[in-house]
Amino acid sequence: MKLRYITSLAVALATAGIAGAADDLTKEITVEKDIVPQEREASRLNRTPSLSLPKIDMKRLRWSDTAVPAPVTNSISLLPPASYASTMARSPYRGYLDLGYFPSMQIGASAGYRFLDTESTIVNGWLQYDGSQYKRENSEANKLTYKDHSAELGLGVSHYVGDIGTFEANIGYGFSSYNYPTLTADDFNQSVNRFNLGLGWSSALSNIDYTIKAGFGYFGFSKAYSTLLDKAAKEINGSVNADVRYYFSPSNSIGAELGVTFAKYSDGREIVLTPANDESRATPSYLSDLVSRTAGVASIKPYYMYVMDAFSARLGVNVSHSWYDGGKTHVFPDVKLAITPARQFSIGLHLYGGDSQLNSLSSLFAHSHYLNPSLIYAPSWQKWFGDVNVVIGPFSGATIELWGGMGKAGNWAMPSLIGTDEALRGAYYGMDFKSTHYGMAFSYKYRDMASLRLSYEGAPQGIDKGYTMWSDRAKSVFNAQLTVSPISALDISLGYELRSGRAIYEVGSDSDDIFQGTYYTLHTIGNVNSLNLGATYRITPQFNVWANVENLLNSKWEAVYGIPAKGVTGLVGIGYKF
């Protein structure tokens, strides 16, 4: 027990001694240290920015009606990515102006401007003027003055409704003033008013795309040629067209084209060849009484289309109905084949028929202003036609093309002289017509510096045969075109055209023999022999100067019967975009 007390006392004394020593060792110390920043080399993050775009809706391209392949360019154009077609980059310029002049009196002016240009809506306006006045000796050695002035203006609207479709509308007005000299005098002046309105809607959904268009127009001459034709005809025209296509896959689809076109005439006369007789008529008669008629064409073309790299086909049928004085219905296959077994060789075949041509006053006037203002015409139609073309090349820049076709047309309207009365000039006469043409071409392109194209096309001619696309009844056409670009900003072209065997037929009833009926007399209108020169120099992307000169040889021929073509003519001018 005594030992336990001694031990406890020793422990207590030792603990107290340690505590006292600890109190004596406590001391406050202040440490000062200089901090020196250390520069370290930075390392680049292994990351790059990324761009996230909305989903792109792929747009289908329509198959071309021709089997001629387009040459591959030497460069690739990159388009900016877009989520739908309306966001494709547009021209940075909202307006343009082209103005040209050539002595003695040849003026051309064209201008346009986008008044509104947003992502979804475009509103643009345009105007154009073409004027000429020249003196030229005609086929009767009379030097007369020929004047022709035309002006047009229009307004167009395009509105993109998201990814659903596009709405389009346009309105236009045109005015022409010109003279139509006879072979002996130049005192007849004529004017024409025309008005057009168009509406359209197009859409491309998942497996179907379609287009609907409608148009309305007015066309009218100011006066008739003489008291024999006391009134000038007026025309109101219209059309509705639709095209729909359904895709089973990118290479297989079905579709249909539908259309209705009409022209309503008032105060018109028709060509009626009535021979003389031995009782009431001593001379032939060529005119009907004044009539008001409506000509129209309605058609539907269902088809199946198959498209692959080496072979494409469109198999369809054309059903059309035309009406004027009574009606005619035509049904004919519409078959197109394109065979491309190799990149440098292709064959195209087209078998078709049944299409009708309205022969409206507005369409004939677009072809030639020298149109008789009092006469109206029944529609023409294609009975059957077949065309073939072969393309060989390109091989080292050289390409050879061969083509030809033949067919038959009903009541095909061709420019004609009706008897010998000057009041009936500018007329057309319809007859059953056999069409034949054939041709070949050679072309060569050296980089972007030079290109050459030589072509020849022929068509056997007769009163009821020729080529339906050549209203001047040319027997052969030779063309040569050379284009060079010595520097990127300069293009120079030299061209030559020879249209030989051009003619027009006089059609009438013989007044001497009442049993002879219709006669035909050929009148030549001269060969087109034209050497042409053109050049364009782009000073800046916005500004360029240009020149086009035609008929450098000052050759003589008739544009239409009785109207001589211009001598050396053309335009020299400027182009500006802003």
Side-chain angles (χ1 to χ4, degrees):
M1 176 66 70
K2 183 177 180 180
L3 180 61
R4 182 181 303 169
Y5 290 140
I6 293 173
T7 301
S8 297
L9 180 59
V11 171
L13 292 175
T15 302
I18 293 174
D23 290 339
D24 293 340
L25 292 177
T26 300
K27 185 178 182 181
E28 183 177 339
I29 300 174
T30 301
V31 178
E32 295 183 359
K33 182 179 182 180
D34 293 333
I35 300 176
V36 180
Q38 182 180 3
E39 183 179 358
R40 295 182 297 175
E41 183 180 357
S43 60
R44 180 177 297 177
L45 296 175
N46 189 23
R47 293 178 179 273
T48 57
S50 61
L51 178 64
S52 178
L53 288 174
K55 180 182 178 182
I56 297 177
D57 293 334
M58 301 300 294
K59 299 297 181 181
R60 294 183 294 269
L61 298 178
R62 290 187 176 276
W63 185 47
S64 172
D65 289 338
T66 177
V68 180
V72 179
T73 60
N74 294 328
S75 61
I76 300 176
S77 298
L78 299 178
L79 296 178
S83 58
Y84 52 96
S86 62
T87 60
M88 289 295 181
R90 298 172 183 157
S91 169
Y93 309 110
R94 300 184 67 164
Y96 67 90
L97 172 66
D98 285 283
L99 181 64
Y101 173 79
F102 195 86
S104 57
M105 168 55 181
Q106 183 77 27
I107 298 176
S110 179
Y113 187 74
R114 291 199 302 262
F115 301 103
L116 179 64
D117 189 0
T118 66
E119 185 175 330
S120 61
T121 304
I122 296 176
V123 179
N124 60 79
W126 56 270
L127 59 87
Q128 182 170 326
Y129 168 79
D130 295 290
S132 67
Q133 181 172 320
Y134 64 99
K135 286 188 176 183
R136 193 74 164 167
E137 192 175 272
N138 63 21
S139 58
E140 297 294 324
N142 294 313
K143 194 171 186 178
L144 305 177
T145 299
Y146 300 88
K147 299 176 289 185
D148 193 345
H149 303 272
S150 294
E152 299 182 40
L153 55 89
L155 184 68
V157 178
S158 297
H159 180 69
Y160 303 94
V161 186
D163 294 333
I164 301 176
T166 303
F167 170 78
E168 294 180 314
N170 59 79
I171 187 172
Y173 170 76
F175 177 79
S176 296
S177 176
Y178 60 100
N179 71 330
Y180 194 171
T182 65
L183 293 176
T184 57
D186 57 2
D187 56 352
F188 181 80
N189 295 305
Q190 180 67 277
S191 62
V192 171
N193 288 276
R194 52 195 184 275
F195 169 81
N196 295 285
L197 172 67
L199 300 172
W201 170 261
S202 59
S203 179
L205 305 177
S206 58
N207 290 326
I208 187 171
D209 57 34
Y210 64 92
T211 301
I212 302 173
K213 294 183 179 181
F216 172 82
Y218 166 83
F219 180 91
F221 291 98
S222 63
K223 57 184 176 181
Y225 281 144
S226 68
T227 55
L228 176 64
L229 301 167
D230 52 347
K231 289 188 176 182
K234 304 291 189 296
E235 171 189 297
I236 295 175
N237 55 67
S239 63
V240 178
N241 297 280
D243 186 357
V244 60
R245 189 170 174 186
Y246 179 81
Y247 292 83
F248 299 103
S249 67
S251 60
N252 288 274
S253 61
I254 58 174
E257 299 174 5
L258 304 91
V260 177
T261 305
F262 74 90
K264 181 176 177 58
Y265 308 113
S266 59
D267 297 329
R269 295 180 184 269
E270 302 165 300
I271 297 295
V272 180
L273 298 184
T274 306
N277 57 44
D278 56 359
E279 296 178 357
S280 61
R281 184 178 295 109
T283 58
S285 173
Y286 298 130
L287 290 174
S288 71
D289 295 329
L290 284 172
V291 295
S292 294
R293 295 192 185 277
T294 300
V297 177
S299 65
I300 179 172
K301 299 179 181 180
Y303 61 86
Y304 165 75
M305 186 174 292
Y306 176 77
V307 180
M308 295 297 287
D309 292 337
F311 176 76
S312 298
R314 171 172 160 154
L315 310 177
V317 63
N318 181 15
V319 181
S320 68
H321 179 79
S322 61
W323 65 91
Y324 181 74
D325 185 9
K328 294 181 175 64
T329 301
H330 313 280
V331 180
F332 202 82
D334 188 354
V335 178
K336 299 177 184 179
L337 303 176
I339 306 170
T340 310
R343 188 174 65 88
Q344 286 96 359
F345 182 78
S346 67
I347 301 175
L349 302 171
H350 190 192
L351 180 64
Y352 59 103
D355 280 332
S356 294
Q357 180 174 292
L358 199 58
N359 295 328
S360 64
L361 295 177
S362 53
S363 64
L364 296 176
F365 183 81
H367 174 72
S368 172
H369 287 190
Y370 301 106
L371 178 68
N372 194 294
S374 301
L375 303 178
I376 59 176
Y377 307 95
S380 306
W381 68 92
Q382 299 170 336
K383 294 184 177 180
W384 61 267
F385 278 79
D387 292 309
V388 60
N389 66 283
V390 178
V391 179
I392 305 172
F395 291 97
S396 300
T399 303
I400 296 175
E401 302 170 48
L402 306 170
W403 67 86
M406 62 186 305
K408 286 189 175 182
N411 192 45
W412 197 258
M414 296 290 283
S416 304
L417 303 177
I418 307 301
T420 57
D421 196 328
E422 284 280 2
L424 298 178
R425 59 208 164 109
Y428 283 71
Y429 184 70
M431 66 184 72
D432 288 347
F433 199 83
K434 181 180 180 181
S435 178
T436 304
H437 72 109
Y438 49 85
M440 65 178 298
F442 170 81
S443 59
Y444 176 77
K445 183 174 182 180
Y446 178 71
R447 298 181 180 177
D448 291 330
M449 298 177 60
S451 63
L452 173 69
R453 179 178 172 83
L454 306 173
S455 66
Y456 171 84
E457 192 164 11
Q461 293 292 337
I463 179 59
D464 61 348
K465 65 181 180 180
Y467 182 28
T468 53
M469 297 294 102
W470 291 354
S471 61
D472 63 353
R473 293 181 176 269
K475 291 183 179 180
S476 63
V477 177
F478 171 75
N479 274 290
Q481 185 76 28
L482 173 65
T483 302
V484 295
S485 300
I487 58 177
S488 61
L490 177 63
D491 297 327
I492 302 174
S493 63
L494 179 65
Y496 175 74
E497 180 183 22
L498 176 62
R499 298 181 66 88
S500 60
R502 300 171 68 244
I504 188 174
Y505 277 91
E506 178 186 329
V507 183
S509 295
D510 198 304
S511 59
D512 297 327
D513 186 350
I514 63 174
F515 302 106
Q516 181 175 338
T518 304
Y519 72 87
Y520 306 100
T521 303
L522 180 70
H523 297 267
T524 60
I525 56 176
N527 299 333
V528 174
N529 181 29
S530 183
L531 180 64
N532 311 314
L533 178 65
T536 300
Y537 181 67
R538 293 171 290 277
I539 299 175
T540 69
Q542 293 177 263
F543 183 72
N544 65 80
V545 294
W546 50 268
N548 293 303
V549 184
E550 301 176 358
N551 194 13
L552 285 167
L553 304 176
N554 198 28
S555 301
K556 294 183 178 181
W557 67 86
E558 293 179 285
V560 298
Y561 180 78
I563 305 296
K566 302 171 186 176
V568 180
T569 186
L571 288 172
V572 177
I574 61 171
Y576 180 64
K577 295 179 289 186
F578 55 93

